[in-house]
Amino acid sequence: MEHKPLGYIAYEGPSIIDGAPIVVIINKIDGSKNAKTGAIVQSFIIRSDIDPVKALQTGADESICGHCEHRPIKARETGKPPCYVQVAKSVLSVWGAYRRGRYVKADPATIASALAGKIVRIGTYGDGAAAPVQMWNQITRYAAGRRGYTHQWDSVGFDVDAWAPLVMASADTIDQAAKANLMGMRVFRVSQGVDVQPGEAMCPASAESGRKSTCAKCTLCSGTSIKARDIVIADHAAGHARRTIAIATA
């Protein structure tokens, strides 16, 4: 008995970050049921040759997350907030389905038609910049909107002009945010506690703003494709209360 495909394989090939084999999977075509994001089509950027739990344990997730300091192997060394994604659940499930052939490899035109009129998350897990920007532009060209974040904005060779309209620059400090702005990126900054700076607005989908909206309804994380303030959200990863107290008492 044939199973209905769960989604599409948009890219299989070398990581732009380090050349290791990765896959981009477009999942939840009908939209996620996540309360914060709302009905957004999800995308997963994962190693195609290693299960994602092993990848993050060994540091092989660098191929899909780059130098992000929230990678678990890095966060354990630095005490930085760890990535909030529960890799052993959703990401491992997607990888397993991929290995079982539950996703269909399709050309960009087919995927673009399937995503027409929908909101697409560029990198539900993994950094979208690990895959070619041309692919993202092709498959999202009919989408109603795009939401995405990248830590690769300050990497050597990063094409700001190509990526700025697609994604927000992820920043963890005010200085990082200022640098990304100077490069031409809009910024999504994670703060310790509520710390809104001039030129920033609090994430409407955050707990601290009372969850006034969802990512699907809010258009603010659309890169430079819109003119708006930068966005800030309070650290909400595991251990955030301990980190906020440490800064307050420092």
Side-chain angles (χ1 to χ4, degrees), residues 189-212:
R189 182 173 68 87
V190 177
S191 66
Q192 297 296 323
V194 179
D195 174 27
V196 183
Q197 300 295 310
E200 294 180 331
M202 190 179 296
C203 170
S206 66
E208 56 269 25
S209 69
R211 303 195 190 283
K212 292 181 292 189

Side-chain angles (χ1 to χ4, degrees), residues 79-81 172-173 190-193 195 235 240-250:
K80 296 290 185 180
D172 298 291
T173 67
V190 177
S191 66
Q192 297 296 323
D195 174 27
D235 173 14
H240 64 89
R242 180 179 67 253
R243 287 187 293 274
T244 301
I245 291 171
I247 286 180
T249 57

